[in-house]
Amino acid sequence: MMKKFYYILFVFCSITTLFAQKKVSVKEANSLFANKSYVKAAEAYEQLPQTRQSLQNLGDCYYYNFQMKNAVRAYGQLFFSFKDSVRNDVLFRYANALKGTKDFEKGDEMMSKYLGFEEDTPKFMKNITRNTPNSFKLQMMSKNKTNGDFGISFYGDKVTFASLRNGADEKAYGWNDRPYLDLFSATVNDKGQLTRVEPFLAPINTKKHESNATFSADGKTMYFNRSGDKRVKIGDIKVAMVKIYKAEFVNGKWTNVTMLPFSSDTYSVEHPFLTKDGKKLYFASDMPGSIGSFDIYVVDVNEDGTYSQPRNLGETINTNQREQFPFLTEDGTLYFASDGHQGNGNLDIFMSQKISDTEFDKPLNLGSSINSEMDDFNFILDEKTNKGYFASNRTGDDNLYTFVQEENKQQYLVEGEVRDIKSTELLPGANVKLYDENGNLLEEVVVGKDGTFTFNTEPNKKYKIMAFKDFYIPAEATFDTSQKGKVYIDLQMKVESYYDAEDIINKKDDGTVLIELENIYFDLDKWNIKPQAAKVLDVLVGILKKYPYMEIEIGSHTDSRASDMYNLRLSNKRAASALEYLVQNGIDRKRLRSIGYGETKPLIICPKNDCTEQEHAVNRRCTFMILK
């Protein structure tokens, strides 16, 4: 059940020391872990024997508190000692912990084991960073890097955010042994720094966690997060769920704090975002029916103050991992954080264009000018100024950053996949080539297990893409990048096999692909092409001209009535003669290969080498095998 509930509240912290305690039992350590007292649980597990469960729990304690070096140490020992019994979800966390320490080689190795196909984070981030619509210039908003600031939102001409600041004397939260979160308002000065920081008063801030406020356009309605009053046992774990509350600004004060009806004691709803027109409220939740540990949902806010049933944004946005911190611009661009979509490691920020109420385009990673190997989230944007804010724990603690969004000068991306046109199956190993308008080869890739490819292109140019696969007819597509802004081309390169396209081409049980023509006959001890043989070869010329990328082998075989050496020489001459006929009729020699097999590969093996004349005739033959 840990996968379901370990991100119940999004707080970020740093543990700088481990200290000795009295000897503890496994039962005590497990009890601390079940109660999410991860700091004390880690201290306990460090003193216990390294069993599979204790190492896994120790790694989780550090991972949930973003102590990635310690998490890597524990998970690494777990993987070394109990490799065959490590759970898949633990493998996912181990991979992200490795990436969090910038060990992308090992992290990708572990993530590839988890996913079942290869992942190359540095290559992916290099490509995506070049091709994202925008790049970002960042600046930290506070000189104090240990305030635990996150959950920023616009609040008129101010901002609000959640923070640990001013809580040094308050009760510590067992998860990280740090103060509970409160909501604050602040002004951002012309240097991008938070100034005039003031906490919200009761009844907004309480002795529980408060975070992630969002406001109506007139500033009179607030939605925010608060942790539950009681811990509910889910399986072996006690959890205080996070809920969304609504407050109203009346006579200069926030009042009428009420819990939204779709909040619950058995699941969390968090990170609310209210659209500018006040008609829709987006949020993240692990409610029943979620695809992953947290999904993004939306509800309608009705004029009478009621709410529609929550609607999941679907599998294009949501994965089997975390999707959180939704923010929607007026033009319908959704920004959110995810560790389920491919990224730099841990939470990355993504964008997706809205198509309908709960339908969005394929998410795009915002690239490494804003995403790091640690958690990056809580992106908000002022579309008029192209300035905004986000949170990250890349320095070890949650901190807020301001950014300026600029157009990415190199933003032209083309990607697609290669499939069999008949079966629609992906074709790993296909070779995809990018050409300019003059036919010059610019780049080529061999697609991986996911059957996809990506190319970087330039503005105001024409291109051609071709997909090649052995025994398939190449597929071709042309496009240009003359449009303004980002060009995103999703190509379905569907290729047809030669044996599906032509009745006379067949794939044998051993995997060879043959062009099955009438037999070619030669006079005794001769290798010149007779008129009957020419007619057969003319059919082959037609096939080769129809498919200009096809390459073949011409094989010549003899019967066994002469010596081995004589038959080998004769078959080589006959195969070469057939090849020359094809060249003389316009087929490029580079596409052809001839070989004489002599009597080494008879179709009919006769007892005591005593074949009939008919059996000898069957063994005298030419074969035409497709090489690629």
Side-chain angles (χ1 to χ4, degrees):
M1 296 300 294
M2 279 308 301
K3 182 179 179 182
K4 187 72 173 174
F5 299 105
Y6 66 79
Y7 283 107
I8 294 301
L9 187 65
F10 214 89
V11 291
F12 304 84
C13 68
S14 172
I15 309 167
T16 57
T17 59
L18 292 174
F19 49 91
Q21 289 280 347
K22 65 178 182 179
K23 290 293 182 180
V24 293
S25 67
V26 173
K27 182 178 180 180
E28 289 172 317
N30 289 343
S31 177
L32 289 167
F33 185 84
N35 284 304
K36 296 183 179 293
S37 297
Y38 293 132
V39 175
K40 291 183 172 60
E43 295 167 5
Y45 285 124
E46 289 284 8
Q47 302 177 56
L48 295 174
Q50 294 185 340
T51 64
R52 185 190 65 80
Q53 193 62 50
S54 67
L55 284 171
Q56 177 183 308
N57 288 358
L58 178 61
D60 288 347
C61 287
Y62 290 128
Y63 180 79
Y64 301 151
N65 274 310
F66 313 101
Q67 295 300 295
M68 296 307 189
K69 289 183 179 180
N70 284 330
V72 165
R73 172 173 56 83
Y75 287 144
Q77 186 60 50
L78 172 68
F79 192 78
F80 178 79
S81 302
F82 305 96
K83 182 177 181 179
D84 295 335
S85 60
V86 175
R87 294 204 322 250
N88 215 31
D89 60 314
V90 179
L91 200 60
F92 176 83
R93 296 195 287 276
Y94 182 25
N96 273 314
L98 286 161
K99 291 183 181 183
T101 63
K102 299 186 178 182
D103 188 349
F104 294 108
E105 182 177 357
K106 186 71 172 178
D108 284 337
E109 178 187 343
M110 293 298 109
M111 190 62 77
S112 297
K113 291 179 183 294
Y114 169 79
L115 294 171
F117 56 84
E118 290 187 9
E119 183 171 275
D120 187 338
T121 296
K123 180 179 179 181
F124 172 81
M125 291 306 297
K126 179 181 179 181
N127 287 336
I128 208 70
T129 300
R130 177 178 176 180
N131 292 290
T132 49
N134 302 293
S135 59
F136 302 88
K137 291 185 176 180
L138 314 179
Q139 180 181 337
M140 191 177 291
M141 299 180 71
S142 176
K143 295 180 180 179
N144 187 342
K145 298 180 180 180
T146 60
N147 284 330
D149 298 341
F150 76 101
I152 194 166
S153 65
F154 295 115
Y155 180 34
D157 58 356
K158 297 181 180 182
V159 295
T160 62
F161 61 96
S163 180
L164 304 173
R165 63 179 71 201
N166 301 333
D169 298 328
E170 297 294 329
K171 177 183 176 183
Y173 178 43
W175 184 303
N176 51 26
D177 269 1
R178 304 188 75 182
Y180 278 72
L181 293 161
D182 279 337
L183 281 169
F184 294 79
S185 67
T187 300
V188 182
N189 65 19
D190 56 4
K191 295 181 179 180
Q193 298 296 294
L194 295 169
T195 61
R196 301 176 184 175
V197 177
E198 297 179 357
F200 280 80
L201 302 177
I204 301 301
N205 284 332
T206 66
K207 292 184 178 180
K208 293 294 183 179
H209 290 292
E210 281 81 30
S211 64
N212 297 94
T214 183
F215 300 86
S216 60
D218 62 9
K220 294 182 179 180
T221 303
M222 175 201 301
Y223 296 91
F224 65 98
N225 276 149
R226 177 179 289 164
S227 56
D229 293 327
K230 58 182 179 179
R231 293 160 66 90
V232 179
K233 191 171 185 179
I234 307 295
D236 295 329
I237 304 165
K238 290 185 177 180
V239 182
M241 299 301 174
V242 180
K243 304 177 181 182
I244 297 178
Y245 287 78
K246 176 183 176 181
E248 297 175 339
F249 196 68
V250 180
N251 297 325
K253 295 182 180 180
W254 288 106
T255 186
N256 300 332
V257 177
T258 57
M259 184 180 72
L260 297 198
F262 48 87
S263 293
S264 172
D265 285 334
T266 59
Y267 59 82
S268 286
V269 290
E270 58 187 32
H271 313 151
F273 170 74
L274 184 67
T275 57
K276 192 170 184 179
D277 61 11
K279 294 182 178 180
K280 293 186 186 298
L281 185 71
Y282 290 80
F283 59 92
S285 178
D286 60 349
M287 65 176 58
S290 296
I291 298 167
S293 63
F294 273 90
D295 286 0
I296 296 176
Y297 289 81
V298 62
V299 295
D300 298 323
V301 181
N302 301 318
E303 291 185 5
D304 62 359
T306 61
Y307 304 89
S308 69
Q309 288 296 313
R311 301 185 295 278
N312 190 297
L313 295 197
E315 294 185 354
T316 301
I317 297 298
N318 294 315
T319 69
N320 62 349
Q321 299 299 331
R322 291 181 293 160
E323 279 70 45
Q324 298 175 302
F325 295 94
F327 175 84
L328 195 75
T329 62
E330 289 187 67
D331 70 356
T333 303
L334 173 69
Y335 293 91
F336 65 99
S338 171
D339 62 3
H341 296 284
Q342 188 171 3
N344 212 12
N346 299 290
L347 286 175
D348 272 12
I349 301 168
F350 294 80
M351 65 179 292
S352 177
Q353 292 296 322
K354 185 177 181 181
I355 299 174
S356 64
D357 182 42
T358 57
E359 187 177 5
F360 289 81
D361 276 337
K362 179 180 178 181
L364 177 67
N365 189 295
L366 294 194
S368 56
S369 67
I370 193 168
N371 287 319
S372 71
E373 69 281 356
M374 290 292 282
D375 285 321
D376 306 287
F377 56 99
N378 187 201
F379 179 102
I380 64 173
L381 173 68
D382 183 337
E383 299 159 87
K384 295 179 180 178
T385 63
N386 272 327
K387 295 180 180 180
Y389 312 99
F390 78 104
S392 176
N393 66 350
R394 63 188 65 187
T395 62
D397 256 308
D398 284 343
N399 284 284
L400 292 173
Y401 294 78
T402 181
F403 64 78
V404 177
Q405 176 178 273
E406 299 176 337
E407 182 182 1
N408 190 348
K409 303 302 181 183
Q410 297 177 317
Q411 58 178 330
Y412 295 85
L413 170 69
V414 57
E415 67 177 23
E417 57 188 14
V418 185
R419 292 182 180 272
D420 183 296
I421 195 171
K422 184 176 181 180
S423 69
T424 71
E425 291 181 354
L426 292 169
L427 294 177
N431 187 256
V432 185
K433 299 182 179 182
L434 177 70
Y435 300 88
D436 65 17
E437 60 182 322
N438 297 318
N440 298 311
L441 177 63
L442 302 176
E443 191 176 353
E444 62 180 302
V445 297
V446 176
V447 301
K449 292 181 180 179
D450 60 357
T452 62
F453 61 87
T454 302
F455 287 119
N456 298 319
T457 60
E458 297 178 359
N460 301 311
K461 291 192 176 181
K462 296 180 179 180
Y463 294 92
K464 179 174 73 173
I465 283 183
M466 296 193 70
F468 298 86
K469 177 75 173 173
D470 287 351
F471 313 124
Y472 281 82
I473 304 165
E476 181 177 318
T478 58
F479 64 95
D480 65 70
T481 57
S482 60
Q483 304 172 37
K484 285 188 175 181
K486 185 176 186 302
V487 176
Y488 180 90
I489 301 172
D490 188 2
L491 294 174
Q492 292 281 336
M493 303 295 287
K494 295 182 178 179
V495 292
E496 185 176 19
S497 65
Y498 290 125
Y499 43 86
D500 283 334
E502 299 289 341
D503 291 338
I504 62 173
I505 300 177
N506 290 291
K507 186 176 183 179
K508 302 301 180 182
D509 292 339
D510 63 0
T512 59
V513 180
L514 298 179
I515 304 172
E516 297 186 337
L517 303 174
E518 294 180 33
N519 204 357
I520 292 179
Y521 294 99
F522 297 88
D523 288 336
L524 181 64
D525 199 28
K526 301 293 183 181
W527 52 87
N528 57 299
I529 301 299
K530 299 174 64 177
Q532 180 274 340
K535 289 181 180 180
V536 175
L537 291 175
D538 286 342
V539 176
L540 184 56
V541 168
I543 290 288
L544 290 169
K545 286 185 176 180
K546 183 177 180 180
Y547 303 113
Y549 293 94
M550 181 186 288
E551 297 180 12
I552 67 167
E553 174 194 281
I554 304 165
S556 179
H557 304 260
T558 68
D559 59 34
S560 59
R561 288 186 290 192
S563 68
D564 291 351
M565 185 58 67
Y566 174 87
N567 285 333
L568 186 61
R569 288 175 178 173
L570 180 61
S571 63
N572 270 312
K573 290 178 179 179
R574 287 176 173 176
S577 180
L579 184 150
E580 291 302 325
Y581 182 89
L582 298 177
V583 172
Q584 291 168 13
N585 283 273
I587 305 303
D588 189 339
R589 188 182 300 274
K590 294 178 181 178
R591 300 170 57 196
L592 308 172
R593 185 174 77 181
S594 68
I595 184 169
Y597 290 100
E599 60 185 79
T600 61
K601 293 187 176 183
L603 287 178
I604 299 176
I605 300 175
C606 305
K608 298 181 181 180
N609 203 26
D610 186 17
C611 293
T612 65
E613 185 59 39
Q614 184 178 1
E615 289 170 334
H616 280 306
V618 170
N619 285 335
R620 294 193 303 271
R621 68 197 189 279
C622 273
T623 56
F624 308 99
M625 183 173 68
I626 297 177
L627 300 176
K628 61 188 299 186

